[in-house]
Structures are given as C-alpha cells and as structure tokens.
C-alpha cells in the first residue's frame, strides 16, 4: 500500500484566497430591509414573524386603496375567471377598451396608450412629442425640456430628463436632445424655441425631487408660453395623480389642460400598468407601427384598473383625502415646532415631504423598528405617501411613531 505525503504548509505561504461571497438572486439595485413581508391588510404590511407595520409608503404611491382591498381582489378574480389574461395588442379586448373610454370621458384626452410603467409612459410621451413635431413645418423641432428638481424615470430618455446627478453619472452619455432648465419662466422664454423645441415635461408636485409643490402660477405661465411657441406640454402625474392631491387629476386644480398626461403608479393598485393620455392634435399624428407594447393594457390589468379608477375618482374619497391631508400637514407642523429638528414641510393632499436636519435614513430606520414604513425623497427629506383610504386615527398612530423616531 502506498501513501501520499502531504507537504507541510510553510508559515510564510499565503493563505488560500477566500471564495467570493454569493451574490443575491435578485440583482442588488435596492437596499432592501431585512424582514420578509408575507401579507398585507388594509394600511398594514405583515412580516414572516407576524409583526405589523403601518404603511406610509403604499409601495411608493401605488397601493392607494390599501392591501387586500375586497373590491380589487374581486376584480382580479373576475378577470382570472375569464381565462383571458393576455392577448397582446394585436387583438381587441373589452377591458382595455372600457378603461381607455373611461379615461377619455373623465379627462381632456381624446386617446390613450397603455404602457407597463411610469418610466415607459414618459418615454412614450417623448416619442409622441417628436412624432407630432414631424407634422409641423420645422424640421429641427425635436428637443424635450425638463425643469430643475425633476424625476421622470430611469430609462435612457427619462433619465436624461431627471435632475438627479447620482442617477445620471454612471450612465453617461445620456440620450441627446433633452435639457433640464431652471423652474423660471424668463429662462424658459429663452430656451423654448418654436423651431427646435417639441415639448416641455413637468410634474405638478415633484415627488423624488423633495415633494416640491410647483407654483401654480408658474405652471399656468408655462402653459401659456407653450401655446404661444407651439410646444407641447406634458404633465407627469405618475406620483401625484389619481387622487393623491385631493382631485382625481392634479391638473384639475390648475385651471388648464395639458397636451399629454402620464399616469401609472396607483392605476391598478399594484399591478404594473401606466398610460399616456393625449389630446386630438397629438393623436392624429400617430400611425400604426409608431409605437408598441406586448403587455400594455392587457385584459387582466385593464379590468382591475377600471375598477380602481372608479374608486379613486369617488367624490367622497377625494374629499376624505383633502380633509385628512390638511389635518396631516398641520400635525407635521406641530411635530416640527415641538422637536426643533425640522427645516421645512411641503405637500398637498396625502403627499407630504419633511426636511430634517439629520439624514432621513436614520429616522426611517428607527421608525421601521417601531413598526412604521416611510421613504425618503433625498438625503434629508422624509416623504409620506400613505394609502388614500387611511383613517385619521391610523395617521395619528403613525405620527406618534414619527415624532418618537425624530427624537431618537
């Protein structure tokens, strides 16, 4: 029998290289909280240990009717029972046509295009603007203008229109023909050239940009300027629309209509669907093959969204949003006065931002431990986006946790 001698390890020999740490199965583009969420009930999310968390995030302004809403669950079951979950857009379906007609009947729009997300809706709106521009006498008309503080998405075109340097820098060069300018009418009068500018895009309330309510007089002046220069106005209501500010569309409070409007987040209370609403002059320039989507506006999504928009447009719900939203803002101001740790408060309806002295992430972490879910809008801004069906008592419970978390 032979034996194999194992040579002794030299005390000076380098240690074997450690195996690289295993990567998570889901690509690490988010820093997710540790608990595993397994259930939702109303305005609460529940983890696998049974701990309940009051939800002041609503999936980032998505689950406006809360979790496990009976009406939404019933609409899902109705659609699934047909067996027709997907057809592609090669064929007509009743749910898609019904949803589009409802949106046309309740807005300025003459036509609707369905997408899968808000970023895709904005990308599509940029394409539609350039397609419309080709119908004008100006061959060089193609530029898209966004304003300071904007966030319109993370796809190539929308990232170019998003005023977040940290989001933009790793992906330069960005799509050309897109410029960000100050929220200033005098500057816009210089930049908006009738021969080169196709559209301006703006959020009535800048969500990711710090929950900044854009001055209505500025927006009205911008609408007048775009009409004067034959430039399209795109309103991005992906976060602030569909009841969040106390009216179904935020533009209803401004006294004018846009040429295009993009919506998404709460449209199906968590199912992925967005939409571009367009007026007649834009719709008439679009031809078969100019744009497309495989999944957008499929029958299951459209059926649920049709239920959701009828709920979110209910005058009683919108009044509730206005009333509890005003009360919520007053309570935030009270917290600011009592703690001395707040620089500013901004918002409308159930969309609020609070600028704090310490990093927002620290307060969010302490609130999480106490059972309150919050999200930031910048390094020093807390953002509050609870479900629109939340009660004043539930808001008060969350405010108690918020104040305790600000104090330490």
């Amino acid at each position: 029998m032979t034996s194999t001698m194992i040579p002794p390890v030299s005390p000076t020999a380098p240690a074997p290289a450690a195996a690289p740490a295993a990567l998570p199965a889901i690509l690490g583009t988010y820093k997710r909280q540790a608990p595993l969420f397994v259930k939702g009930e109303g305005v609460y999310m529940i983890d696998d240990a049974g701990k309940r968390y009051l939800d002041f995030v609503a999936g980032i302004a998505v689950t406006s009717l809360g979790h496990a809403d009976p009406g939404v669950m019933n609409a899902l079951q109705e659609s699934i029972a047909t067996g027709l979950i997907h057809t592609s857009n090669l064929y007509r379906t009743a749910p898609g046509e019904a949803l589009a007609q409802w949106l046309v009947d309740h807005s300025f729009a003459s036509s609707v295009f369905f997408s899968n997300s808000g970023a895709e809706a904005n990308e599509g709106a940029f394409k539609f603007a350039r397609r419309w521009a080709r119908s004008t006498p100006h061959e060089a008309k193609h530029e898209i203008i966004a304003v300071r503080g904007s966030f319109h998405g993370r796809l190539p075109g929308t990232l170019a229109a998003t005023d977040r340097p940290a989001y933009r820098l790793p992906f330069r060069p960005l799509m050309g023909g897109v410029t960000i300018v100050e929220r200033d009418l005098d500057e816009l009068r210089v930049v908006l050239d009738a021969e080169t500018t196709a559209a301006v895009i703006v959020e009535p309330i800048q969500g990711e940009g710090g929950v900044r309510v854009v001055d209505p007089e500025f927006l009205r002046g911008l609408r007048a300027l775009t009409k004067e220069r034959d430039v399209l106005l795109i309103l991005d209501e992906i976060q602030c629309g569909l009841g969040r500010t106390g009216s179904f569309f935020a533009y209803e409070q401004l006294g004018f209509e846009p040429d295009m409007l993009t919506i998404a987040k709460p449209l199906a209370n968590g199912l992925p669907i967005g939409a571009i609403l367009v007026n007649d002059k834009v719709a008439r320039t679009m031809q078969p093959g100019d744009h497309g989507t495989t999944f957008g506006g499929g029958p299951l999504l459209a059926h649920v969204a049709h239920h959701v928009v009828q709920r979110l447009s209910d005058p009683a719900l919108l009044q509730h949003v206005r009333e509890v939203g005003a009360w919520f803002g007053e309570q935030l101001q009270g917290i600011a006065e009592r703690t001395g740790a707040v620089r500013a408060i901004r918002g409308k309806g159930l969309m609020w931002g609070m600028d704090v002295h310490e990093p927002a992430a620290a307060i969010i972490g302490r609130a999480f431990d106490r059972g309150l879910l919050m999200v930031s809008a910048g390094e020093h801004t807390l953002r509050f986006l609870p479900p629109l069906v939340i009660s004043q008592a539930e808001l008060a419970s969350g405010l108690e946790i918020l104040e305790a978390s600000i104090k330490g």
Side-chain angles (χ1 to χ4, degrees), residues 93-382:
T93 68
E97 293 183 6
L99 175 60
Q101 189 62 56
W102 191 96
L103 290 168
V104 166
D105 291 344
H106 291 81
S107 74
F108 71 94
S110 66
S111 302
V112 177
F113 178 90
F114 292 119
S115 66
N116 305 296
S117 68
E120 289 173 272
N122 283 336
E123 290 272 334
F126 292 175
K127 284 185 67 177
F128 294 2
R130 288 179 170 176
R131 184 68 178 86
W132 165 81
R134 296 294 177 269
S135 71
T136 72
H138 307 297
E139 293 183 2
K141 197 175 182 71
H142 72 284
E143 294 173 354
I144 308 295
I145 305 298
V147 300
R148 187 67 62 204
S150 59
F151 179 91
H152 299 295
R154 299 174 187 257
L155 298 177
T158 51
L159 186 59
T162 289
D163 185 26
R164 295 292 289 273
Y167 292 173
R168 295 158 57 93
L169 186 59
F171 306 104
R172 290 180 180 274
L174 304 176
M175 188 180 89
V178 183
T179 305
I180 298 172
V181 303
E182 296 296 330
R183 294 189 303 270
D184 182 87
L185 285 176
D186 289 336
E187 181 165 337
L188 283 160
R189 287 189 184 96
V190 174
V191 173
L192 262 62
D193 187 323
E195 295 186 3
T196 60
T197 307
V200 177
I201 184 168
V202 62
E203 304 154 272
I205 300 181
Q206 295 179 325
E208 291 277 344
V211 194
R212 300 186 183 279
V213 181
V214 178
D215 182 5
E217 287 303 316
F218 166 80
L219 291 171
R220 284 189 277 270
L222 180 59
R223 172 72 284 193
L225 181 60
T226 54
K227 285 187 175 181
E228 174 191 310
R229 304 287 173 88
D230 195 26
V231 171
L232 298 179
L233 178 62
I234 307 167
L235 288 187
D236 176 344
E237 294 200 12
I238 288 163
Q239 188 167 146
C240 68
L242 305 189
R244 179 62 54 182
T245 65
S247 58
F248 185 67
F249 295 113
Y251 80 80
E252 296 176 72
Q253 302 176 41
L254 299 172
F256 67 80
E257 296 177 344
D259 298 294
M260 286 191 271
L261 180 82
T262 54
I263 54 176
K265 286 182 179 292
L267 185 51
N269 206 61
L271 296 178
I273 182 172
I276 312 167
L277 281 61
V278 303
N279 64 12
D280 186 70
K281 75 175 183 179
V282 176
R284 288 183 182 278
T285 65
M286 298 299 296
Q287 302 298 320
D290 280 345
H291 198 45
T293 173
T294 297
F295 295 107
L300 186 150
L301 299 172
H303 183 72
V304 175
H306 194 189
H307 170 82
V308 170
V309 293
Q310 293 175 80
R311 296 272 302 282
L312 294 180
S313 63
D314 179 6
L317 177 64
L318 296 174
Q319 181 178 353
H320 168 78
V321 171
R322 293 192 294 271
E323 290 177 353
V324 300
W327 176 86
F328 188 72
E330 293 170 358
Q331 302 308 303
L332 291 177
Q333 188 60 49
I335 290 174
E337 294 169 358
R338 289 190 296 273
T339 63
V342 177
R343 293 199 302 259
I345 294 167
R346 299 175 298 273
K348 180 182 287 188
L350 284 173
M351 183 176 183
W352 289 87
M354 173 184 274
D355 290 345
V356 290
H357 293 298
E358 71 172 309
I363 298 172
I364 290 170
R366 295 195 292 267
F368 187 90
D369 292 340
R370 292 178 166 104
L372 175 66
L373 303 179
M374 295 193 300
V375 68
S376 66
E379 186 177 355
H380 288 277
T381 302
L382 301 171

